[in-house]
Amino acid sequence: MSAKIVQEAPEVMLGTFAINSTPATVLFGSGASHSFIAHMFIRQHSIPLCALKNPILVNSPGRGMLATLH
């Protein structure tokens, strides 16, 4: 989802917030049932991951993907 689309959608909000003192771009969706984090952010900040017992199919504009880690 592009920043332009986000700015035009009343049900979402885009902003920069500090996460453990690190600036991060955050997208809040009022209808979201889960939270996700970009792989690049995880790698850059050495965030540990675990396998999901039941993977989640995530649908977003343009494509769907299977989330297998948390």
Side-chain angles (χ1 to χ4, degrees):
M1 182 175 278
S2 73
K4 182 175 175 29
I5 292 171
V6 169
Q7 292 169 351
E8 295 171 358
E11 68 278 2
V12 295
M13 185 173 81
L14 178 70
T16 301
F17 293 88
I19 298 175
N20 289 336
S21 302
T22 302
T25 301
V26 179
L27 176 68
F28 293 100
S30 62
S33 60
H34 293 78
S35 299
F36 298 91
I37 189 168
H39 283 260
M40 183 182 293
F41 192 89
I42 291 168
R43 284 192 302 271
Q44 288 174 341
H45 303 285
S46 303
I47 298 171
L49 296 172
C50 299
L52 284 170
K53 186 175 181 178
N54 298 308
I56 301 168
L57 179 58
V58 180
N59 292 307
S60 65
R63 70 177 192 147
M65 61 188 81
L66 194 61
T68 58
L69 301 169
H70 72 97

